[in-house]
Amino acid sequence: MTHCSRSIGTQTDTFGGHINTQSTLDSAKSAIDSTRDTQTSAKAVAVFQDLLGVNTPPKEDDLKNTFYQRELPSTLTRFSSPEGKKLFREAMDAAQAEGFFPLTGNFTTQSEPAYCGPSSLAMVLNALEVDPKRRWKGNWRWFSDEFLQCCSSKEDMKKNGITFDNFACLAKCHCDVQVKRAHDFEFEEFKKDVQEVTSTSDKFMVISFSRKTLKQTGDGHFSPIGAYHPESEMVLILDTARYKYPSYWCPIEVLFESMKPVDKETGRPRGYFILSYDAEHPPVSLCNGNSENRIRSSMKTMKSDDNGSKESEALKSKLDWSSIAKSFCHRIPEHMWEEKPRTLEHVVQLVLRNVPSEYPSILANQSLASFAASSPDKANEYINELLYDTTQSPLYPVVMDALYPDRENQSYTPTDCNAAFATLFVLGSPRMLYTSLPRNIQDHLEKFRKSESMTDIMRQEITRISEEVSELTKTFCTCGPAEMNRFEDSSKQRHGCCKVAY
């Protein structure tokens, strides 16, 4: 015991000549608690100082090559300035600021320096109250700029932003879009469109312009238009890069000129977009396979063939509107010239071979979605009737032979959905695709288009498909349908009727 006490005494303090182990432990605990309280107090003080903005300023190296906003050029009027507020009040009195409130209620500062395009589109889609049909965060569905990636990868957008054509592709997946590229419109048309969109709250304009023309730093940029002041002819630009420039008023003629400089990425000028949304006629989105899944599900009871594997393979390929437009602008006319088909079956094979196999189904799904929006209880009945009527077309057997040249059973029943949609697609394809064909084949195809056996429901679908394809080429091809009708027997025709925008 004595040995043990001495041993302990060499490692502990004594009080009054006696060893007091408990007192020593209590003192140690008190010292630890005191240190902990001091550290906690120091952290609390640091947080409070940070809130007050009185912390030690960062080293100069941390702020080197960084910026806090840019000075707005004197030719532009800051929206929040007295003059800017005056212009806005007068624009409101003139009923030319109707779209301002839906836009500012959904104002989005771009989350990345190169996200001006997606940010502008997200702002407009939320202002139009478009349901993205996808989860954003938590339990909520909402559009944000990082959400919009289907026409460009997230990595590419972060690095390079998006081009005029990428924006058109992205917008077309979510709403109705009119595309106006500089040099294809005059100043008066642009001014009229500005006046129209600022006088309503269900249609918006996003402009793609060069900052250099406005004497700002940087170059290509996207932003929505918020209002128009008729007397001074000034346009309010709701700049999505609020960390760089505030919203500002710009002379409309300067804005018009800012769309003309050629974008070095595309070799073409910029322009503007008019965006709207019709819930009864929703757009076709290529961002995921949902549309194809819906049409497949709605018709699965009518399928009796084993084409599912072909469809699944097709859905694996990456689709975008530019690649689809390329079929009509370049591949089909070029192959028509090279192969010089002499039978209608060859023509059908050529057309279907050069169009993504799922595109006719995408168009069919758009029709189903439009009909379901107005008459949801009759959607399947509508599709059944449309498919049956299509099988009665004299072109349907030709399409069947083109799709299944080696089939043994020559019967055309039960209904083949692929063949039915392909028939509608060929009947609705613009006539410009067939102008290089021999006259007798053109006449034969035209006879099918005007067949007396064609029902009203078929005519409606064929007209819609024709309008959809024509709009597609006008949006994503350098030349639109008017130019495509003009090509003649020349080298231009041999290499496709026009250039595709990428």
Side-chain angles (χ1 to χ4, degrees):
M1 179 69 68
T2 306
H3 179 271
C4 182
S5 297
R6 279 200 299 267
S7 175
I8 293 174
T10 60
Q11 301 174 50
T12 59
D13 294 330
T14 61
F15 181 72
H18 299 284
I19 298 172
N20 192 337
T21 305
Q22 184 61 46
S23 175
T24 302
L25 292 174
D26 290 343
S27 297
K29 182 177 181 299
S30 177
I32 292 172
D33 290 342
S34 176
T35 301
R36 184 179 298 148
D37 290 343
T38 301
Q39 291 175 342
T40 301
S41 177
K43 288 182 180 179
V45 170
V47 170
F48 187 66
Q49 287 179 331
D50 188 52
L51 288 173
L52 295 177
V54 296
N55 268 347
T56 304
K59 298 177 182 179
E60 287 189 12
D61 288 347
D62 294 337
L63 298 179
K64 191 175 182 180
N65 298 323
T66 66
F67 305 94
Y68 177 72
Q69 298 190 330
R70 292 287 195 182
E71 184 178 352
L72 196 67
S74 59
T75 52
L76 307 174
T77 303
R78 181 185 287 263
F79 176 55
S80 60
S81 68
E83 178 62 19
K85 294 176 182 178
K86 178 176 180 292
L87 290 172
F88 181 70
R89 286 193 294 270
E90 292 173 355
M92 284 189 62
D93 291 340
Q96 297 288 174
E98 295 301 306
F100 172 83
F101 296 100
L103 285 172
T104 54
N106 296 280
F107 203 107
T108 303
T109 299
Q110 57 196 73
S111 62
E112 296 284 343
Y115 269 20
C116 54
S119 179
S120 297
L121 181 57
M123 190 192 313
V124 169
L125 292 174
N126 289 326
L128 289 169
E129 298 184 352
V130 179
D131 183 347
K133 305 293 184 183
R134 278 182 56 185
R135 186 189 300 270
W136 168 56
K137 293 180 181 180
N139 296 325
W140 301 103
R141 301 194 299 271
W142 194 249
F143 281 104
S144 59
D145 54 12
E146 72 275 8
F147 196 74
L148 301 165
Q149 303 173 23
C150 65
C151 296
S152 297
S153 69
K154 187 174 183 178
E155 294 72 22
D156 188 50
M157 285 197 301
K158 277 188 175 183
K159 181 180 179 182
N160 304 311
I162 62 174
T163 64
F164 184 90
D165 302 296
N166 288 147
F167 186 97
C169 173
L170 202 56
K172 186 173 174 61
C173 289
H174 300 286
C175 64
D176 298 322
V177 54
Q178 297 178 50
V179 180
K180 306 285 186 83
R181 192 182 285 275
H183 302 318
D184 290 340
F185 59 87
E186 300 296 333
F187 172 73
E188 288 303 320
E189 180 181 350
F190 172 57
K191 181 179 177 180
K192 181 179 178 182
D193 284 341
V194 168
Q195 291 173 325
E196 181 180 350
V197 298
T198 55
S199 65
T200 183
S201 58
D202 59 4
K203 188 182 294 186
F204 300 96
M205 178 185 290
V206 171
I207 187 165
S208 173
F209 62 101
S210 171
R211 285 193 183 276
K212 291 180 179 179
T213 307
L214 275 56
K215 298 182 180 179
Q216 297 177 338
T217 62
D219 195 3
H221 191 55
F222 293 85
S223 276
I225 297 301
Y228 176 64
H229 189 269
E231 185 176 344
S232 64
E233 296 192 324
M234 299 276 277
V235 178
L236 177 61
I237 298 177
L238 301 176
D239 202 312
T240 58
R242 289 193 288 185
Y243 52 83
K244 184 175 183 180
Y245 290 110
S247 296
Y248 52 86
W249 292 92
C250 173
I252 191 170
E253 289 191 3
V254 175
L255 197 56
F256 175 72
E257 294 297 324
S258 72
M259 294 181 279
K260 292 182 179 180
V262 172
D263 179 0
K264 63 181 180 181
E265 293 294 324
T266 64
R268 306 180 68 199
R270 297 176 176 87
Y272 64 95
F273 309 86
I274 298 177
L275 309 174
S276 58
Y277 183 73
D278 183 353
E280 293 189 359
H281 300 87
V284 174
S285 176
L286 301 184
C287 298
N288 52 59
N290 290 343
S291 59
E292 291 79 6
N293 292 337
R294 286 196 301 270
I295 190 69
R296 187 183 295 122
S297 174
S298 67
M299 300 179 303
K300 62 182 179 181
T301 57
M302 295 179 281
K303 282 183 177 287
S304 59
D305 53 29
D306 58 353
N307 293 317
S309 60
K310 292 183 180 179
E311 285 188 341
S312 62
E313 285 298 315
L315 289 174
K316 291 178 183 178
S317 61
K318 171 67 176 176
L319 270 184
D320 63 66
W321 289 116
S322 285
S323 66
I324 292 176
K326 185 178 180 180
S327 300
F328 303 107
C329 305
H330 182 75
R331 284 196 295 263
I332 292 176
E334 183 182 60
H335 291 173
M336 288 284 189
W337 172 262
E338 292 174 348
E339 298 182 26
K340 295 180 173 57
R342 291 295 181 264
T343 66
L344 193 55
E345 183 179 330
H346 188 177
V347 172
V348 172
Q349 286 177 334
L350 190 153
V351 171
L352 297 181
R353 187 177 75 233
N354 286 283
V355 174
S357 58
E358 60 269 52
Y359 184 54
S361 292
I362 290 173
L363 290 174
N365 180 72
Q366 184 181 38
S367 175
L368 176 63
S370 298
F371 191 86
S374 57
S375 304
D377 56 327
K378 296 183 178 180
N380 284 336
E381 179 183 335
Y382 173 82
I383 286 294
N384 273 311
E385 183 179 351
L386 175 61
L387 290 174
Y388 175 78
D389 291 351
T390 304
T391 62
Q392 306 308 302
S393 167
L395 182 61
Y396 181 75
V398 178
V399 173
M400 284 288 289
D401 291 339
L403 284 176
Y404 313 112
D406 300 326
R407 63 191 175 86
E408 296 179 359
N409 182 9
Q410 294 297 316
S411 173
Y412 300 115
T413 56
T415 301
D416 185 284
C417 295
N418 289 334
F421 290 139
T423 300
L424 290 170
F425 179 73
V426 172
L427 289 171
S429 297
R431 290 172 175 80
M432 60 193 178
L433 298 179
Y434 309 110
T435 54
S436 66
L437 294 174
R439 175 53 60 183
N440 66 312
I441 296 183
Q442 291 189 52
D443 292 342
H444 198 184
L445 187 59
E446 192 64 22
K447 183 179 179 180
F448 288 147
R449 292 175 187 269
K450 296 180 179 180
S451 173
E452 294 181 359
S453 64
M454 190 181 298
T455 62
D456 289 341
I457 191 173
M458 276 188 69
R459 292 185 194 280
Q460 175 182 317
E461 286 305 308
I462 290 168
T463 299
R464 187 186 59 77
I465 290 172
S466 181
E467 291 173 351
E468 176 72 27
V469 175
S470 295
E471 184 64 29
L472 185 66
T473 58
K474 184 170 67 175
T475 300
F476 294 100
C477 299
T478 300
C479 59
E483 288 296 320
M484 296 179 78
N485 280 323
R486 295 180 192 172
F487 71 80
E488 299 175 353
D489 185 4
S490 65
S491 59
K492 181 180 180 182
Q493 180 187 9
R494 287 193 294 272
H495 293 86
C497 55
C498 66
K499 177 182 177 183
V500 180
Y502 291 101

